């Protein structure tokens, strides 16, 4: 869609924009049908674009799409596009696709983001769904000692991103911007946990550590029990690092069954402002605790 057409749409009354957008999409589809046959790669790109257009053309998402369109036409990106107060559903505006540095600024403001065609949609949910690390023992099927599975930290990060991205829709959570997460991992700010049974991956959790909060950006699991055990292992590790919360953003069906606590937007910002938290760097599995030495105990007495 050309800039001239975008400007024409921006000048129309709001109630006429949706019809004009739909008309342009229809004209584009007719032009594509009349064009010469495309190579398979180009047809794949076209199908992806049409799926994205169909997703955002739904009535319940059209207002967000029009807001983003207005931001594109007006050149309002990043800081200028933040709403001073989030809407009731938590929508805050749009931004350029973030790199690692920009993503950290978003997290520090308590914002999360989703992929939008060519942009990032910014959100500040009115209720954040968190798990307290101290509640890891209450997680269903929580103890790794109940099976042969092993929790592995910060290994094969790119493969973990691929596993999260390749899963079926609704099975877990796909990372919105894997490139930004890879950059943050290189700086020791993004991390991953893999629950593995032998050579088979049972579950993966990928996220970003900001202060004493770990925000989950993607996860994959073979089943709910494996996911609960992975969350339990992550929570125990974070408890040892003095973290306050595992942030799952907004409630979703994938996290039902976990000991979720819903806190207000203000409460979540207060968690982010707490001092402390883990230093940047790779996570390593802590060494097992040693049994007390009787001789040391006698000398101490």
């Amino acid at each position: 869609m050309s800039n001239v057409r975008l400007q024409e749409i921006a000048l129309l009354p709001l109630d006429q924009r949706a019809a004009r957008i739909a008309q342009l999409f229809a004209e584009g589809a007719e032009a594509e049908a009349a064009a010469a046959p495309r190579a398979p790669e180009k047809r794949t790109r076209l199908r992806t674009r049409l799926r994205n257009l169909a997703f955002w053309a739904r009535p319940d998402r059209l207002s967000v799409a029009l807001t983003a369109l207005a931001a594109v036409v007006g050149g309002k990106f990043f800081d200028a596009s933040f709403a001073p107060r989030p809407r009731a559903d938590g929508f805050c505006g749009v931004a350029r696709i973030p790199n690692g540095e920009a993503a950290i600024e978003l997290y520090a403001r308590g914002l999360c983001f989703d992929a939008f065609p060519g942009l990032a949609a910014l959100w500040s949910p009115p209720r954040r769904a968190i798990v307290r690390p101290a509640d890891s023992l209450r997680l269903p099927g929580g103890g790794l000692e109940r099976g042969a599975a092993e929790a592995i930290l910060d290994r094969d990060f790119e493969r973990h991103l691929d596993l999260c991205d390749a899963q079926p829709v609704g099975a877990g959570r796909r990372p919105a911007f894997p490139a930004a997460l890879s950059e943050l991992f290189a700086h020791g700010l993004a991390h991953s946990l893999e629950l593995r049974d032998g050579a088979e991956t049972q579950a993966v959790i990928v996220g970003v550590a900001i202060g004493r909060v770990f925000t989950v950006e993607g996860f994959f699991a073979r089943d709910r029990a494996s996911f609960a055990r992975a969350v339990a292992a992550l929570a125990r590790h974070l408890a040892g690092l003095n973290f306050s919360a595992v942030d799952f953003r907004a409630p979703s069906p994938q996290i039902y069954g976990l000991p979720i606590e819903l806190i207000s937007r203000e409460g979540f910002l207060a968690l982010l402002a707490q001092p402390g938290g883990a230093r940047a760097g790779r996570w390593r599995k802590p060494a097992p605790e040693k049994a007390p030495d009787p001789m040391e105990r006698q000398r101490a007495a």
Side-chain angles (χ1 to χ4, degrees):
M1 192 180 299
S2 67
N3 291 333
V4 174
R5 287 190 170 183
L6 288 174
Q7 293 171 3
E8 291 176 356
I9 294 172
L11 295 175
L12 290 174
L14 186 60
D15 58 348
Q16 298 179 21
R17 292 181 188 174
R20 181 58 178 154
I21 292 172
Q23 181 183 354
L24 290 174
F25 288 165
E27 293 173 0
E30 292 175 0
E32 294 290 351
R38 286 176 165 75
E41 181 182 357
K42 292 185 178 180
R43 285 199 296 268
T44 300
R45 292 178 181 174
L46 175 60
R47 284 196 295 269
T48 300
R49 291 173 181 173
L50 291 176
R51 282 199 300 267
N52 288 338
L53 293 176
F55 178 85
W56 290 107
R58 284 179 49 174
D60 58 335
R61 300 186 179 104
L62 190 57
S63 62
V64 176
L66 290 174
T67 302
L69 179 62
V72 173
V73 175
K76 298 178 180 179
F77 288 104
F78 208 55
D79 290 333
S81 66
F82 287 132
R85 291 184 179 179
R87 290 188 337 189
D89 61 356
F91 179 68
C92 296
V94 293
R96 289 188 179 97
I97 294 177
N99 58 14
E101 182 179 357
I104 286 296
E105 292 186 14
L106 295 175
Y107 289 122
R109 299 184 187 197
L111 298 173
C112 53
F113 39 85
D114 290 322
F116 190 89
L119 297 168
L122 306 178
W123 301 87
S124 178
R127 291 288 183 270
R128 296 293 281 238
I130 68 168
V131 169
R132 301 281 184 178
D135 290 340
S136 60
L137 296 178
R138 295 199 297 114
L139 284 158
L144 288 179
E145 66 279 358
R146 298 184 183 183
E150 177 189 9
I152 301 172
L153 301 170
D154 280 359
R155 193 186 303 172
D156 294 334
F157 188 81
E158 296 299 327
R159 182 175 68 87
H160 295 163
L161 289 177
D162 291 340
L163 285 172
C164 293
D165 188 58
Q167 63 188 315
V169 176
R173 178 178 296 165
R174 296 177 177 178
F177 300 107
L181 292 176
S182 295
E183 186 177 343
L184 293 177
F185 178 74
H187 288 86
L189 297 173
H191 303 277
S192 67
L193 179 142
E194 176 183 0
L195 188 68
R196 183 183 296 177
D197 187 356
E200 183 180 5
T201 298
Q202 297 292 323
V204 164
I205 301 176
V206 175
V208 177
I210 299 294
R212 296 175 63 186
V213 175
F214 183 80
T215 294
V216 174
E217 281 298 323
F219 57 84
F220 154 82
R222 300 289 183 189
D223 49 54
R224 286 186 177 273
S226 297
F227 180 55
R229 295 173 70 191
V231 174
L234 174 64
R236 285 197 297 272
H237 181 73
L238 293 176
L241 296 176
N242 199 31
F243 273 69
S244 298
V246 184
D247 169 38
F248 286 95
R249 297 164 50 163
S252 67
Q254 291 83 5
I255 62 175
Y256 289 164
L258 300 180
I260 293 295
E261 177 184 344
L262 296 180
I263 64 173
S264 66
R265 181 183 293 117
E266 293 73 20
F268 182 74
L269 291 174
L271 288 180
L272 287 175
Q274 289 180 352
R279 296 179 180 178
R282 295 285 184 269
W283 280 353
R284 295 288 182 262
K285 188 174 182 178
E289 295 183 6
K290 296 181 179 180
D293 186 350
M295 297 301 296
E296 289 290 341
R297 188 178 300 172
Q298 289 179 3
R299 283 194 290 269

